Amino acid sequence: MFCSQCEQTARGQGCEQWGACGKSPEVDALQDLLTHCLRGLGEVALAAHQLGIRSREADVFSCETLFSTLTNVNFDPECFVQYIQRAIALRDDLKAKIQLTGTPVEFTALSSFQPADTLEALVQQGKDIEFEFISSSAKNVDIFSLKLTILYGLKGIAAYAYHAQELGQEDDRVYNFCHEALAALGRQDISLDEWVNMALKLGEINLRVMELLDAGNTSTYGHPVPTSVPLNAKQGKAILISGHDLKHLEELLKQTENTGISIYTHGEMLPAHGYPRLKQQYPHLYGHYGTAWQNQVREFAQFPGPIVMTTNCLMPPHDAYSNRVFTLGPVGWPGLKHLETDDYTSVIQQALELPGFTADGEPRQVLTGFARNAVLSVAGEVIEAVKRGDIRHFFLVGGCDGAKSGRSYYSEFVEKVPQDCVVLTLACGKFRFFDKDLGDIGGIPRLMDVGQCNDAYSAIQIALALANAFNVDVNQLPLSMILSWYEQKAVSILLTLLYLGIQDIRLGPTLPAFISPNVFKLLSEKYNLKPITTPDQDLAACLG
Ligand code: SF4
Ligand code: SF3
């Protein structure tokens, strides 16, 4: 196997024996084979679109299944076998429809690829395809690096597009780009500059996807408002829900109304508490449990109820709690109970059988809900505070968390931020400092949680609105971005920031293994993208 898509990759180069995330070589090969089949489906879907034939099923399927190959989402070989078969069926269905039009269309070998009949043979096909793809790196390591960047960025786009369509927000431009970029990955006739442009185009399309997702979230659940969320347990039955999917959370809340069960969020689900139409409508959306995803083995073992995983990050489950974990949508692990629909009957039944929390915990709280509307509603006060010199600088300290050492940089950085500076944060990296009381500056909190990684659009809008209010370019704002990455959604967000021309981003804890030295040189020359160093050195540079 070879996989280098996340920050945890072995030796900072690539997982070759077994995934550091727990992904087996078998699943890795099946994921590569699925991607190959999606490329064929993409080629046919594009040709069909040109003839006015649209398959929404193929569009959404491509996003859902590409999402399933993102780090820490799906580890179940059987699930990938089904996805592969479905990709081929959708492709052939579209091909038949094209044929019926009588228009001759030429396809590449991708669109006639036939998967094998047995699991073993499928795995071998996946390995062969992977070998061929990796071998192409010898021709031009920089183009290979850009292809990987695009493939991984597409996984991020697919995840966001999947969430957006669940909330009724879609744009054919997004689906077309995904099909186009997937189909292009095998081409040898594209120059380095054209690959660079495609990576930036990916950033542009990702901005559109995040805009759709933001519209889906806010039109369905209202604009988040600053909300205090209990971190302590409440006596009684409990269900824990993790991941990013608000729609699944809403369904769970509906079905647990008047059951006496309290719903606790975990990980990236924390910002759900800020949405008025979730929090106010469902008072049993009680509190938040646990910290970052990499602590789940210890924390899930101690949770006295069932656990629902709606998206990443799922770690290899421990025997101590695996019979209490339910997966949904693109998430999977062999042997875990997978819910095919949003019917939570079995989860509720298990919650009622399990003890729940036997006593109330010591009261502790955290604030969330500082999305764009909440922050911009006090924009006047913020601008005045900056003009008076009360606020010297803003830091956006956001991104993924991860299991590797070196991530204490981010908590140390936030602790060392001077008293006259404000920290905006988003995504799961915040769990290293989310419960710190940093106080306020004239009533403006010094630590504001903008939301999930899915809310990066909100953070971008805050920056653009402030730049507009100060009548300066966003790069001239007293704002520094200190980003942490782990999985592929972060890759798509980084490409969006570069597409927007954001300069001086500091990225860590390590640079992506798939970015070649030349590609990084290009990015650092054009955008001044740089690796993090030490909190003291970076703070001094940002404030200097
Ligand atoms: Fe390795 Fe990350 Fe790929 Fe898992 S997702 S196999 S940890 S590079
Ligand atoms: Fe986190 Fe897995 Fe990236 Fe949504 S939950 S940010 S790592």
Side-chain angles (χ1 to χ4, degrees), residues 278-299:
L278 290 174
K279 186 69 186 175
Q280 286 161 19
Q281 204 156 323
Y282 304 100
H284 63 298
L285 172 57
Y286 164 69
H288 188 78
Y289 174 88
T291 53
W293 64 264
Q294 71 273 10
N295 300 327
Q296 68 187 245
V297 173
R298 179 171 43 82
E299 293 175 348

Side-chain angles (χ1 to χ4, degrees), residues 204-275:
E204 180 189 351
I205 295 290
N206 187 54
L207 182 64
R208 173 69 183 136
V209 185
M210 290 195 302
E211 183 186 15
L212 290 170
L213 180 53
D214 180 276
N217 286 337
T218 54
S219 64
T220 313
Y221 305 117
H223 280 275
V225 290
T227 304
S228 175
V229 184
L231 292 175
N232 57 292
K234 176 177 162 180
Q235 187 181 3
K237 307 288 184 186
I239 295 174
L240 186 63
I241 181 163
S242 186
H244 303 71
D245 200 308
L246 299 182
K247 184 93 175 98
H248 288 316
L249 168 65
E250 183 192 16
E251 287 301 324
L252 177 65
L253 290 169
K254 275 186 199 160
Q255 292 172 40
T256 46
E257 264 187 309
N258 305 318
T259 58
I261 299 169
S262 294
I263 305 299
Y264 291 74
T265 54
H266 172 264
E268 281 281 64
M269 208 57 101
L270 167 65
H273 293 269
Y275 287 93

Side-chain angles (χ1 to χ4, degrees), residues 460 463-464 467 472-479 481 500-502:
I460 290 170
L464 294 178
V472 294
D473 180 87
V474 72
N475 287 313
Q476 292 168 309
L477 279 176
L479 166 71
M481 297 201 186
L500 289 168
I502 308 284

Side-chain angles (χ1 to χ4, degrees), residues 440-456:
D440 63 281
I441 299 174
I444 299 163
R446 286 192 56 237
L447 178 62
M448 292 191 256
D449 178 15
V450 179
Q452 303 179 336
C453 63
N454 289 27
D455 300 309

Side-chain angles (χ1 to χ4, degrees), residues 70-72 160 242-244 267-268 293 311-314 399-402 426-429 452-454 484-490:
L70 193 125
T71 302
N72 289 347
Y160 293 134
S242 186
H244 303 71
E268 281 281 64
W293 64 264
T311 69
N312 53 318
C313 274
L314 173 68
C400 308
D401 208 341
L426 81 167
C428 67
Q452 303 179 336
C453 63
N454 289 27
S484 55
W485 84 285
Y486 172 71
E487 36 75 8
Q488 299 79 58
K489 289 194 243 180

